[in-house]
């Protein structure tokens, strides 16, 4: 059940992926795959490998360019065989059960140690150096690109040195993973070096990098160093040896070095302080982070190839721990920054939810908000366009126990039926044309918070039915999905339409209307609370004066009178825009009447024809009924069923009244 995918790019084997039964390994261009292929010819989710019925199975995920096995395209599920070669775009993967069968072994005649040729891509600064031209094969006796202890099944029989090394590495891996900083990682690693090797001195060093992440030299920073009691002090790794390891990306073992000044460490009197040295790269993701350096000062206790294996394996563990530590810090910084941004945005939203005004009509609205906020009840906010219904909704949210949760606002009139359903409930990848990824809907995004649905009267009947089920506490599904999703959301609906008329005309569900109209908050238009006009005008003046830097003292007395007498068909939104325009275009130190731009639009309650005593003409109730029926029929384009519904009478009753009053459709014979 244990197998591997060995990845090759060009002529180099670059990575090994361990396959585990019960876990699916996905392959593709997306970064979330276990094997990521940086090639546009690969699909985002191209293929997958999994264990089933005692076989490892390769499945192509309907990719654009297909998957090849041993040069042949596959369809459906393919049972992999050892040494099968999988090709996806420019990436070649070999399926093996033993790693030794995937790598070409090259043995040194005098040592019999596995040697793999890997070079680091991050050490460009040393590629042109001539220091490697003078390397002495007689001095560096062993090289090791990758350790065998972490890659193959080791003989763990009790009493064998390799078994002891594997056990020690396993324990060290857990100890190093629990370290909280670089110093602690280095200390734990050096404990492992002295407990499991012949070293007399050792150190963990980090390489210097520039802003682009490239090594800038061999002046390494010592994180921690340690020596045994019989050694006076630690001597740093030589520049030659450091450059060799950084350039080659391989660990080296140097022995019998008493005459080699390039490798040997010397004390202040020039005496040789080491007889054998191991220097291993600390690396992760093809990047060398530093070096693990160890040496022996006793010719009878020299470091050997087994010590090289152990130190190289330990260096890889250190690299993984350092990378994990770096990612934890990055995530902590990102989380701290995100929390700060969220708090700033929340403060801004709370500031924008402050209700400005002191009129009796607005005081009643504030009292309604205070009473409605603590409950879970659905709130229906009604009022003309521009009165600040969203402001009231924010006030309800930030005064409720859900104030720490999200507040999501959605305008139901801005989208078509299909897009509105997708925005509210989300959709799965491929649910419709253009759905290239899974999308989380507004309901899901506002879980444990509040969602405000503005212009609820514009919602189509199909979406109303699904919306009603969510209001009743039922789970919903994303468009194109079958996974039920449950959320805890408080709904606040807002409208400037007469929902009762919409219900009577069949454009709005009756059951949804009663489900929404639990707590109703009626926001009065600005013309019905004139006491607030001057307060709001100066509130907006202060805001825009701060934004623009204009030195405007206020409004003239004539301008205030004009603001008080204006009917405000656009309500508070119109007042805000008018003050902003006046601040920008004002030519004096205060805003005059000439700076105010009044519209000629009529307000909803003044656009209707109202009778007055000068033009009133008394008529009978029958004539009034005949006139009312005629106008209602004309309004509904002589749809008798809809007219009867609005009038609150049966269709047969309407027919009798039409015959009684001799009401006929215009143009009929």
């Amino acid at each position: 059940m244990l197998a591997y995918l060995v990845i090759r790019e060009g002529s180099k084997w670059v990575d090994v992926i361990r396959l585990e039964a019960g876990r699916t390994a996905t392959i593709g261009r997306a970064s979330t795959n276990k094997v990521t292929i940086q090639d546009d010819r690969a699909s985002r989710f191209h293929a997958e490998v999994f264990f089933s019925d005692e076989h490892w199975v390769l499945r192509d995920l309907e990719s654009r360019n297909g998957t090849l096995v041993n040069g042949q395209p596959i369809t459906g599920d393919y049972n992999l065989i050892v040494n099968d070669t999988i090709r996806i775009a420019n990436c070649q993967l070999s399926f093996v059960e033993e790693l030794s069968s995937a790598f070409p072994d090259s043995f040194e005649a005098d040592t019999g140690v596995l040697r793999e040729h890997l070079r680091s891509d991050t050490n460009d600064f040393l590629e042109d150096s001539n220091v490697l031209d003078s390397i002495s094969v007689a001095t560096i006796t062993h090289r090791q690109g990758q350790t065998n202890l972490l890659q193959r099944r080791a003989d763990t029989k009790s009493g064998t040195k390799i078994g002891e090394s594997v056990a020690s590495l396993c324990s060290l891996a857990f100890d190093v993973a629990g370290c909280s900083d670089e110093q602690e990682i280095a200390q734990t690693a050096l404990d492992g070096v002295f407990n499991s090797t012949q070293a007399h001195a050792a150190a963990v060093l980090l390489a210097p990098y520039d802003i682009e992440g490239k090594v800038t030299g061999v002046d390494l920073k010592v994180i921690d160093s340690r020596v045994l009691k019989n050694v006076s002090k630690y001597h740093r790794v030589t520049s030659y040896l450091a450059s060799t390891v950084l350039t080659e990306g391989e660990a080296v073992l140097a022995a019998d070095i008493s005459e080699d000044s390039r490798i040997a460490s010397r004390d202040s009197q020039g005496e040789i302080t080491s007889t054998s040295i191991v220097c291993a790269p600390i690396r992760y993701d093809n990047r060398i982070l530093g070096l693990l350096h160890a040496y022996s000062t006793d010719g009878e206790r020299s470091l050997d190839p087994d010590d090289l294996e152990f130190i190289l394996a330990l260096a890889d563990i250190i690299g993984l721990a350092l990378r994990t530590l770096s990612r934890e810090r990055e995530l902590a910084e990102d989380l701290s920054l995100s929390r700060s941004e969220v708090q700033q945005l929340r403060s801004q939203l709370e500031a924008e939810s402050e209700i400005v005004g002191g009129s009796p009509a607005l005081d009643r609205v504030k009292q309604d908000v205070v009473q409605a906020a603590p409950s879970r009840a659905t709130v229906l906010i009604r009022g003309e366009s521009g009165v600040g219904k969203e402001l009231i909704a924010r006030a309800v949210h930030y005064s409720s126990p859900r104030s720490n949760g999200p507040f999501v606002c959605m305008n139901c009139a801005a989208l078509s039926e299909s897009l509105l359903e997708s925005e509210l409930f989300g959709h799965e990848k491929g649910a419709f044309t253009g759905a290239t990824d899974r999308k989380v809907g507004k309901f899901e995004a506002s879980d444990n918070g509040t969602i405000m649905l503005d212009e609820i009267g514009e919602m189509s009947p199909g979406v109303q039915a699904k919306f009603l089920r969510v209001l009743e506490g039922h789970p919903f599904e994303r468009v194109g999905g079958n996974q039920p999703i449950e959320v805890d959301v408080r709904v606040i609906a807002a409208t400037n339409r007469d929902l009762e008329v919409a219900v009577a005309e069949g454009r709005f569900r009756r059951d949804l209307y009663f489900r929404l109209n639990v707590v109703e908050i009626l926001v009065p238009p600005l013309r019905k609370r004139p006491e607030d006009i001057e307060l709001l005008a100066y509130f907006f003046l202060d805001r825009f004066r701060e934004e623009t830097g204009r030195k405007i003292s206020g409004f003239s007395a004539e301008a205030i009178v004009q603001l008080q007498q204006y009917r405000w068909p656009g309500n508070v939104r119109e007042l805000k825009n008018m003050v902003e325009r006046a601040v920008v275009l004002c030519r004096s130190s205060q805003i005059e009447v000439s700076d105010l731009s009044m519209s000629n639009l009529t307000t909803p309650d003044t656009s209707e024809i109202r009778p007055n005593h000068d033009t009133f003409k008394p008529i009978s109730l029958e004539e009034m009924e005949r006139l009312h029926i005629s106008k209602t029929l004309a309004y509904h384009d002589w749809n008798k069923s809809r007219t009867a519904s609005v009038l609150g009478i049966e269709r047969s009753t309407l027919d009798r009244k039409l015959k009684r009053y001799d009401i006929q459709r215009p143009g009929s014979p």
Side-chain angles (χ1 to χ4, degrees), residues 212 287 366 507 641:
E212 296 179 353
R287 177 182 176 185
K366 293 178 181 179
R507 292 183 289 108
S641 297

Side-chain angles (χ1 to χ4, degrees), residues 189-316:
L190 293 183
D191 288 340
V193 171
F194 290 121
N195 290 335
S196 301
T197 71
Q198 302 293 322
H200 293 91
V204 176
L205 307 96
L206 291 187
Y209 282 85
D210 61 16
I211 194 171
E212 296 179 353
K214 294 183 178 180
V215 180
T216 57
V218 293
D219 186 16
L220 291 89
K221 175 185 177 183
V222 178
I223 298 300
D224 192 18
S225 63
R226 199 175 311 166
V227 298
L228 296 181
K229 292 182 179 179
N230 58 338
V231 179
S232 59
K233 64 177 181 179
Y234 165 74
H235 293 271
R236 294 176 62 95
V237 61
T238 63
S239 298
Y240 168 75
L241 192 59
S243 64
T244 300
V245 176
L246 289 172
T247 302
E248 296 289 337
E250 295 179 337
V252 298
L253 168 62
D256 298 328
I257 59 175
S258 58
E259 300 302 327
D260 196 327
S261 61
R262 296 171 303 163
I263 300 293
S265 298
R266 298 174 181 268
D267 61 18
S268 58
Q269 287 75 35
E271 295 296 327
I272 299 294
T273 60
S274 58
T275 61
S276 58
I277 296 176
V278 171
C279 192
I282 299 173
R283 58 199 173 187
Y284 188 76
D285 284 344
N286 293 327
R287 177 182 176 185
I288 296 180
L289 307 177
L291 300 177
L292 177 55
H293 177 223
Y295 61 84
S296 170
T297 61
D298 186 354
E300 296 181 358
R301 193 185 174 190
S302 298
L303 300 174
D304 57 25
D306 288 336
D307 294 327
L308 173 65
E309 285 278 3
F310 181 87
I311 292 175
L312 177 55
L314 181 56
D316 287 340

Side-chain angles (χ1 to χ4, degrees), residues 311-526:
I311 292 175
L312 177 55
L314 181 56
D316 287 340
I317 292 174
I318 296 173
L320 180 60
L322 291 174
R323 181 59 176 163
T324 302
L325 184 63
S326 175
R327 287 181 174 177
E328 287 179 355
R329 289 174 176 173
E330 291 175 1
L331 289 174
E333 291 176 0
D334 291 343
L335 182 60
S336 176
L337 181 61
S338 299
R339 285 176 176 171
S340 176
E341 292 176 349
V342 168
Q343 188 60 40
Q344 291 178 7
L345 291 173
R346 191 180 299 280
S347 300
Q348 293 176 8
L349 291 173
E350 289 176 355
E352 292 180 2
S353 66
E354 296 177 358
I355 303 174
V356 178
S359 63
L362 194 60
D363 286 341
R364 287 192 294 271
V365 174
K366 293 178 181 179
Q367 293 173 5
D368 292 340
V369 169
V370 171
Q371 289 183 303
S375 71
R376 297 170 55 91
T378 304
V379 178
L380 178 62
I381 303 175
R382 311 181 76 159
E384 297 176 8
S385 179
V387 294
K389 296 187 290 294
E390 183 177 343
L391 182 71
I392 302 300
R394 290 186 186 277
V396 172
H397 171 73
Y398 287 111
S399 301
S400 73
R402 298 171 177 262
S403 58
N404 289 328
F407 177 81
V408 179
C409 187
M410 177 72 190
N411 191 325
C412 299
L415 300 171
S416 63
E417 177 178 351
S418 59
L419 290 178
L420 178 60
E421 184 177 6
S422 172
E423 285 293 320
L424 287 176
F425 306 111
H427 63 252
E428 297 289 349
K429 178 181 178 181
F432 49 84
T433 302
T436 57
D437 292 294
R438 171 185 288 180
K439 177 182 177 62
V440 173
K442 300 297 185 184
F443 268 103
E444 210 170 338
S446 57
D447 191 22
N448 295 316
T450 305
I451 183 172
M452 178 197 174
L453 299 177
D454 200 5
E455 305 298 343
I456 191 70
E458 305 296 331
M459 186 179 288
S460 64
V463 180
Q464 288 178 30
K466 192 170 182 179
F467 176 46
L468 178 60
R469 283 188 56 81
V470 179
L471 281 180
E472 296 290 352
H474 296 285
F476 62 91
E477 298 174 356
R478 299 189 186 98
V479 178
N482 54 15
Q483 183 71 27
I485 301 171
E486 295 186 9
V487 293
D488 178 16
V489 176
R490 183 182 190 176
V491 175
I492 299 178
T495 183
N496 61 1
R497 298 294 183 92
D498 191 337
L499 291 184
E500 290 81 359
V501 173
V503 170
E505 294 177 351
R507 292 183 289 108
F508 199 81
R509 293 177 63 101
R510 183 182 297 269
D511 49 2
L512 178 58
Y513 167 75
F514 289 115
R515 185 63 184 82
L516 288 174
N517 195 19
V518 179
V519 176
E520 183 180 88
I521 298 179
L522 182 61
V523 185
L526 186 57

Side-chain angles (χ1 to χ4, degrees), residues 592-603:
E592 303 289 347
V593 174
S594 59
D595 299 317
L596 303 176
S597 176
M598 307 291 185
S599 73
N600 295 322
L601 296 176
T602 57
T603 58

Side-chain angles (χ1 to χ4, degrees), residues 533-534 537-538 555-565 591 593 596:
I533 294 176
E534 186 173 353
Y538 274 98
F555 298 87
S556 66
E558 294 80 5
I560 292 296
V561 172
Q562 186 73 13
L563 293 174
Q564 297 279 6
Q565 293 177 349
I591 297 176
V593 174
L596 303 176

